[in-house]
Amino acid sequence: MQNDELKRFSELIETQSSDELIGLLKDLHPADIAELCNELEPEEAKYIYLLLDNETAPDVLIEMDEDARKRFLDILPPETIAKRFVDHMDSDDAVDIIRELDEEKQEEILSHIEDIEQAGDIVDLLKYDEDTAGGLMGTEMLVVNENWSMPECLKEMRHQAEELDEIYYIYVVDDEERLQGVFPLKKMITSPSVSKIKHVMEKAPVSVHEETPIEEVVQVIEKYDLVAVPVVDSIGRLVGQITVDDVMDQVREQAERDYQLASGLSQDVETDDSVLKQTTARLPWLLIGMLGGIGNSMILGNFDSTFAAHPEMALYIPLIGGTGGNVGTQSSALVVQGLANNSLQSNNTWKQILKESVVALINASIISMLVYAYNFLRFGPTATVSYSVSISLFVVVMFASIFGTLVPMTLERLKIDPAIATGPFISITNDIVGMMFYMLITVLLSQL
Amino acid sequence: MQNDELKRFSELIETQSSDELIGLLKDLHPADIAELCNELEPEEAKYIYLLLDNETAPDVLIEMDEDARKRFLDILPPETIAKRFVDHMDSDDAVDIIRELDEEKQEEILSHIEDIEQAGDIVDLLKYDEDTAGGLMGTEMLVVNENWSMPECLKEMRHQAEELDEIYYIYVVDDEERLQGVFPLKKMITSPSVSKIKHVMEKAPVSVHEETPIEEVVQVIEKYDLVAVPVVDSIGRLVGQITVDDVMDQVREQAERDYQLASGLSQDVETDDSVLKQTTARLPWLLIGMLGGIGNSMILGNFDSTFAAHPEMALYIPLIGGTGGNVGTQSSALVVQGLANNSLQSNNTWKQILKESVVALINASIISMLVYAYNFLRFGPTATVSYSVSISLFVVVMFASIFGTLVPMTLERLKIDPAIATGPFISITNDIVGMMFYMLITVLLSQL
């Protein structure tokens, strides 16, 4: 949204020009109105919402940024939230929004929902863990019985369809509500309207269990190129569906999370978050890095006499530490990415380490030789520092590669998120270990 | 795919047990057969393909990994690829696969396609830049004329639908083929079958231009929660559609790319790529890091006398360099992510730098004070090193935060991918600049 456009809306709100505003809003998509409301003050956004119809208002609320939405909902009474928004939302969207509020407000909103069926669905969905299929699914979907004839189905579908926003698949269940098949809407057009639906449906459709972790749901939808996937309970009853738009948000959020962990940010944080939230998201890794740096200074402190004998050794501290960090970050990032997109299995640890070692051997040789050539020219052919730095670099690259592969793969086997082992963790560890190798190799070479 | 399952298939192929194989394959989803073929030798995969029907075989090929697919297609004659696969594929999938082959083979395949309309579509699509809407779209879609009545539409749709895999929207065009509206398939069920389609369609649908960059297409689909988006040419004619499954791959690939750049990997690389490809993807940043380290050693070499007077200064080189790297990585990652998901605009540079400075001020103060307290205990209250290290840390954190914000935002304004400014680039720069600050501050303090 452009600044001048935003200014115009602010002015119209201030002068309470509701007719003109209604005219402008009519031409905007809910996602565009949401962008506008993200930028407005909560009281201004409230004025806009009062001008929207019951169908548009909830769509706009769903599309808003989480922070802006929270500020806006804070100034609304629970009864208004329930009757104006929650009553007209799909159950999965309602649950997403209610989850963001504190428990007291949640209870109040639930007690004000007029549609009892909707309230029941929301209460049921709130019980699921947020990170499972149950926590992501909605209960709005087209369901027909396998024994119905096509005309019967069509009649029921017309009845159900009025309350549904989008329909991609029609789910077919038996008398016990167990999922039996799926019927792509497309077939409504191409199938002859004869016989029972169970004879034209696709049997044994891909489905997920209500407690399947979200990452697996994402994998299923991606692998089978689905637009929606049905969710079943432990005895196979259809309990909801997850649509691709919810999954796409998940793909992006998951990728952003890995990226943040690799960059040393310890919680989900955005540039528009408050200074306090940004500080708390960043300070932990900086403090760990600080402890690493102090630890390093203690290690180096034990080698006073080495530095006294070879003052030029100090010059290469940044090179050794930096190279270890860079190599380790590369190796761990490759592994974390491979595990995330399923191209790497955690039981292939040794195979991966072997391959990684070959790559490391090539890189280590090239870098060590180049640095040796430079030091040869700088310090002459016999300087201890030339051997010491290049041998240390070689060892550090080999170690960092193997360590950067082994740690995330081990974490995956222990069912711990391997992404936490990337970024600062790997570079700090490699920095310290590299410094120890460097000092020990120098001491050894000095004694030869 | 489990190893023993894979072994079983290999055995059945070796013994040419085609009946048993056909029985097993019948129960598998194309995506599962593709996983199997990824693991098999090309000749084995060929045997499997011969057993698949014309509808399943192309689906399996599309779902295969790019590398495995390339190995497999290499052993097939162009005529077989054309008649067995390309003739039965959606145009966008066919284009994706043909693009992977060398030009000579491309020409041969095109000359063997039997369906002339399909061949023409593919030739047209190959002209588009791979990174635009035109390069991603398919031409298979349901199109009706705005002046048709509902029964007319339904008849034409039945005719068209037989050739289409999935249908989400029906596109409505005028007599000049210009996109006028969209008709969600769901409305087929709920709308009364009266009057012309232009009176029931949704007008002015969201669409993208054929030359719109893919990143923008992704943003449009995400923003408006679409399952497919129509593509139009410069005079508004409908030329294709992009479906959400293609976009989801893009979201993942884009996120992986940013992650790789932040981790110092210079091209799209996976754990299962060859040693050569892995080495070439990783060596560039390692060499730049090496040059940075050597540069650092040259800077430090100018401060011999400082180290001679204060040998304990060397101990804190890793802390100063590491902290600068960590802070810079955090700041740049936040900016790159904000720019990628559109929550940050590049014209807000100064606002973002101001905010970043406040966060930096807090972090810098906390870290400097903690390190000062440690050095106070370690070296006593009057040691130059205590002041020097803490003041340097403060300056380095402030610099790294502002630099890490400024660089990616400037790149974005220059239309250069800001992600290249993350990871190794930021940490190497901050390492060198940090070392210079450290030395200069120490010299200044020594002269006081």
Side-chain angles (χ1 to χ4, degrees):
Chain A
M1 180 101 357
Q2 299 296 317
N3 272 335
D4 43 345
E5 238 182 303
L6 191 65
K7 222 170 172 179
R8 181 153 173 237
F9 273 101
S10 278
E11 277 166 17
L12 289 174
I13 293 166
E14 208 179 337
T15 54
Q16 311 223 334
S17 321
S18 55
D19 287 348
E20 203 172 340
L21 277 170
I22 289 173
L24 284 172
L25 293 170
K26 200 166 46 77
D27 294 333
L28 289 178
H29 189 281
D32 293 312
I33 304 176
E35 276 192 357
L36 169 70
C37 290
N38 285 337
E39 302 290 327
L40 293 172
E41 293 301 314
E43 286 293 346
E44 293 177 317
K46 188 174 166 186
Y47 190 85
I48 294 281
Y49 271 97
L50 293 175
L51 304 175
L52 300 174
D53 59 58
N54 273 343
E55 211 179 302
T56 312
D59 285 350
V60 172
L61 189 70
I62 295 159
E63 296 291 335
M64 274 178 79
D65 277 351
E66 195 178 322
D67 290 345
R69 178 165 57 222
K70 216 172 163 332
R71 279 196 301 275
F72 170 62
L73 290 180
D74 274 348
I75 64 162
L76 292 186
E79 189 172 351
T80 311
I81 299 177
K83 292 192 177 148
R84 182 93 174 110
F85 299 113
V86 179
D87 257 333
H88 310 277
M89 272 179 183
D90 280 351
S91 54
D92 57 337
D93 294 325
V95 167
D96 284 348
I97 284 167
I98 290 177
R99 263 193 219 275
E100 292 168 13
L101 304 170
D102 58 54
E103 253 178 67
E104 197 184 336
K105 200 151 188 177
Q106 287 188 10
E107 295 291 328
E108 278 194 76
I109 291 172
L110 289 173
S111 69
H112 283 111
I113 298 174
E114 282 179 342
D115 180 344
I116 280 298
E117 205 183 321
Q118 169 86 329
D121 282 350
I122 293 173
V123 169
D124 287 344
L125 288 176
L126 279 170
K127 287 178 195 149
Y128 289 103
D129 185 339
E130 231 184 314
D131 300 323
T132 62
L136 194 63
M137 72 186 186
T139 50
E140 290 77 9
M141 53 195 166
L142 245 176
V143 185
V144 297
N145 187 290
E146 60 176 349
N147 293 314
W148 292 353
S149 66
M150 283 291 274
E152 271 180 294
C153 284
L154 211 64
K155 199 180 141 202
E156 173 64 19
M157 278 155 56
R158 286 218 172 92
H159 174 68
Q160 289 187 30
E162 278 165 27
E163 297 187 0
L164 300 174
D165 264 358
E166 307 254 13
I167 300 168
Y168 307 117
Y169 302 122
I170 299 151
Y171 298 109
V172 186
V173 296
D174 63 15
D175 294 333
E176 273 76 44
E177 303 282 312
R178 283 178 302 215
L179 179 67
Q180 294 300 322
V182 67
F183 190 68
L185 199 55
K186 173 204 152 182
K187 279 210 178 170
M188 274 332 301
I189 300 176
T190 48
S191 294
S193 57
V194 290
S195 76
K196 290 181 176 173
I197 194 140
K198 71 171 152 190
H199 299 125
V200 284
M201 72 184 184
E202 290 172 12
K203 281 167 197 165
V206 175
S207 66
V208 295
H209 188 267
E210 53 188 350
E211 284 175 7
T212 303
I214 284 185
E215 296 86 52
E216 273 177 51
V217 176
V218 173
Q219 282 168 11
V220 167
I221 289 199
E222 280 195 282
K223 177 172 170 187
Y224 298 107
D225 286 340
L226 302 172
V227 175
V229 66
V231 183
V232 296
D233 67 9
S234 297
I235 55 169
R237 285 179 304 194
L238 179 67
V239 290
Q241 79 164 344
I242 295 172
T243 52
V244 71
D245 51 324
D246 296 319
V247 166
M248 196 138 77
D249 295 342
Q250 290 294 328
V251 170
R252 187 177 287 285
E253 276 173 32
Q254 193 185 321
E256 285 192 353
R257 238 188 90 265
D258 285 355
Y259 180 56
Q260 289 184 317
L261 285 172
S263 307
L265 302 164
S266 53
Q267 46 176 274
D268 184 29
V269 67
E270 299 268 349
T271 43
D272 47 9
D273 283 332
S274 70
V275 166
L276 180 69
K277 189 171 174 195
Q278 289 208 27
T279 307
T280 48
R282 293 158 74 163
L283 200 52
W285 268 123
L286 295 182
L287 290 178
I288 292 172
M290 183 195 79
L291 291 178
I294 289 179
N296 246 333
S297 79
M298 289 161 80
I299 293 170
L300 294 176
N302 291 323
F303 295 89
D304 280 4
S305 53
T306 314
F307 283 115
H310 303 284
E312 70 279 9
M313 297 294 302
L315 311 185
Y316 287 98
I317 292 175
L319 175 63
I320 307 275
T323 305
N326 288 343
V327 171
T329 304
Q330 289 182 338
S331 303
S332 57
L334 265 180
V335 170
V336 167
Q337 177 188 279
L339 292 170
N341 68 20
N342 253 10
S343 67
L344 183 67
Q345 313 300 328
S346 61
N347 51 13
N348 281 338
T349 305
W350 297 113
K351 201 175 139 200
Q352 178 62 21
I353 285 183
L354 185 70
K355 188 171 186 180
E356 186 66 23
S357 305
V358 180
V359 176
L361 200 67
I362 301 173
N363 287 335
S365 306
I366 293 174
I367 290 173
S368 307
M369 284 193 290
L370 288 173
V371 171
Y372 180 77
Y374 170 77
N375 277 331
F376 182 92
L377 297 172
R378 185 173 179 183
F379 297 105
T382 57
T384 313
V385 67
S386 311
Y387 294 105
S388 173
V389 168
S390 283
I391 294 175
S392 301
L393 271 177
F394 188 90
V395 174
V396 164
V397 171
M398 293 302 298
F399 172 81
S401 300
I402 294 169
F403 188 71
T405 305
L406 192 61
V407 173
M409 294 202 78
T410 308
L411 288 178
E412 174 83 5
R413 295 181 86 158
L414 298 174
K415 312 254 176 233
I416 300 170
D417 184 356
I420 62 163
T422 50
F425 172 77
I426 284 287
S427 56
I428 292 166
T429 312
N430 282 329
D431 207 358
I432 295 180
V433 176
M435 228 35 74
M436 289 177 69
F437 278 128
Y438 183 39
M439 289 298 109
L440 291 175
I441 287 167
T442 305
V443 169
L444 278 174
L445 285 177
S446 309
Q447 291 171 347
L448 284 183
Chain B
M1 179 102 356
Q2 299 296 317
N3 272 336
D4 42 343
E5 239 183 302
L6 191 65
K7 225 171 171 178
R8 182 154 172 235
F9 274 102
S10 279
E11 277 165 15
L12 290 172
I13 294 166
E14 209 179 335
T15 54
Q16 313 224 334
S17 319
S18 54
D19 288 348
E20 203 173 339
L21 278 169
I22 290 172
L24 284 172
L25 293 169
K26 201 167 46 82
D27 295 333
L28 289 177
H29 189 281
D32 293 313
I33 303 177
E35 276 194 356
L36 169 69
C37 290
N38 285 337
E39 302 291 328
L40 293 172
E41 294 301 313
E43 287 292 344
E44 293 177 317
K46 189 174 166 186
Y47 190 85
I48 294 282
Y49 272 97
L50 293 175
L51 303 176
L52 300 174
D53 59 58
N54 273 344
E55 211 179 302
T56 311
D59 285 350
V60 172
L61 189 70
I62 295 159
E63 296 291 335
M64 274 178 80
D65 277 352
E66 196 177 322
D67 291 345
R69 177 165 58 221
K70 217 172 164 325
R71 279 197 302 274
F72 170 62
L73 291 180
D74 274 347
I75 64 163
L76 291 186
E79 189 173 350
T80 311
I81 299 178
K83 292 192 177 146
R84 181 93 175 112
F85 299 114
V86 179
D87 258 333
H88 311 277
M89 272 179 181
D90 281 353
S91 55
D92 56 338
D93 294 326
V95 167
D96 285 347
I97 283 166
I98 290 176
R99 264 194 219 274
E100 292 168 14
L101 304 170
D102 57 54
E103 254 179 66
E104 198 185 334
K105 200 152 187 177
Q106 287 188 9
E107 296 290 330
E108 278 195 75
I109 291 173
L110 289 172
S111 70
H112 283 111
I113 298 175
E114 282 179 342
D115 179 345
I116 280 299
E117 206 184 321
Q118 169 85 329
D121 283 349
I122 293 174
V123 169
D124 288 344
L125 288 177
L126 279 170
K127 287 178 195 147
Y128 289 103
D129 185 337
E130 232 185 312
D131 300 323
T132 62
L136 194 63
M137 73 186 184
T139 51
E140 290 77 10
M141 51 195 169
L142 245 177
V143 184
V144 298
N145 187 290
E146 60 176 348
N147 293 314
W148 291 353
S149 66
M150 282 291 274
E152 271 180 293
C153 283
L154 212 62
K155 200 180 138 202
E156 173 65 19
M157 278 155 55
R158 287 219 170 93
H159 173 69
Q160 289 186 30
E162 279 165 27
E163 296 187 1
L164 300 174
D165 264 357
E166 307 253 14
I167 301 167
Y168 307 118
Y169 302 122
I170 299 154
Y171 299 109
V172 187
V173 297
D174 63 15
D175 293 334
E176 273 76 42
E177 303 284 313
R178 284 177 302 215
L179 179 68
Q180 294 299 323
V182 68
F183 190 67
L185 199 55
K186 173 205 152 181
K187 279 209 178 171
M188 275 331 303
I189 300 176
T190 48
S191 295
S193 57
V194 291
S195 78
K196 289 181 178 175
I197 193 142
K198 71 171 155 191
H199 299 126
V200 283
M201 72 184 185
E202 290 170 13
K203 281 168 195 164
V206 175
S207 67
V208 295
H209 187 268
E210 53 188 350
E211 284 175 8
T212 303
I214 285 186
E215 296 86 55
E216 272 177 51
V217 176
V218 173
Q219 280 169 12
V220 167
I221 289 199
E222 281 196 281
K223 177 172 169 187
Y224 298 108
D225 286 339
L226 302 172
V227 176
V229 67
V231 183
V232 297
D233 67 9
S234 297
I235 55 169
R237 285 179 306 195
L238 178 67
V239 290
Q241 80 165 344
I242 295 172
T243 51
V244 71
D245 51 324
D246 296 320
V247 166
M248 197 139 75
D249 295 342
Q250 292 293 329
V251 170
R252 186 178 288 283
E253 277 172 32
Q254 193 185 318
E256 284 192 353
R257 237 188 92 264
D258 285 354
Y259 180 55
Q260 289 184 316
L261 285 171
S263 306
L265 301 165
S266 52
Q267 45 176 275
D268 184 28
V269 67
E270 300 267 348
T271 43
D272 46 9
D273 283 332
S274 70
V275 167
L276 181 70
K277 191 171 175 195
Q278 289 209 24
T279 307
T280 48
R282 293 159 73 163
L283 201 52
W285 269 124
L286 295 183
L287 290 177
I288 293 172
M290 183 195 79
L291 291 177
I294 289 179
N296 246 331
S297 78
M298 290 161 79
I299 293 169
L300 294 176
N302 290 324
F303 295 91
D304 280 3
S305 53
T306 314
F307 284 115
H310 303 284
E312 70 280 8
M313 296 295 301
L315 312 185
Y316 286 99
I317 293 175
L319 175 63
I320 305 276
T323 305
N326 288 343
V327 170
T329 304
Q330 289 183 338
S331 304
S332 57
L334 264 181
V335 170
V336 167
Q337 177 189 280
L339 292 170
N341 69 20
N342 254 7
S343 67
L344 182 68
Q345 313 300 329
S346 61
N347 52 14
N348 281 337
T349 306
W350 296 112
K351 201 175 138 201
Q352 178 63 21
I353 285 183
L354 185 71
K355 187 170 186 181
E356 186 66 23
S357 305
V358 179
V359 176
L361 201 67
I362 300 173
N363 288 335
S365 306
I366 293 173
I367 290 174
S368 306
M369 285 194 289
L370 287 173
V371 172
Y372 180 77
Y374 170 78
N375 278 330
F376 182 90
L377 297 173
R378 185 173 179 183
F379 296 106
T382 57
T384 313
V385 67
S386 311
Y387 293 106
S388 174
V389 168
S390 283
I391 294 174
S392 301
L393 272 177
F394 188 89
V395 174
V396 164
V397 171
M398 292 303 295
F399 172 82
S401 300
I402 293 169
F403 189 71
T405 305
L406 192 60
V407 173
M409 295 201 78
T410 308
L411 289 179
E412 173 84 4
R413 295 181 87 157
L414 299 173
K415 311 253 175 234
I416 299 171
D417 183 357
I420 62 163
T422 50
F425 172 77
I426 283 287
S427 55
I428 293 166
T429 313
N430 282 329
D431 207 359
I432 295 181
V433 176
M435 227 37 72
M436 289 177 69
F437 278 129
Y438 184 38
M439 288 298 109
L440 292 174
I441 287 167
T442 304
V443 170
L444 279 175
L445 285 177
S446 310
Q447 289 171 347
L448 284 183

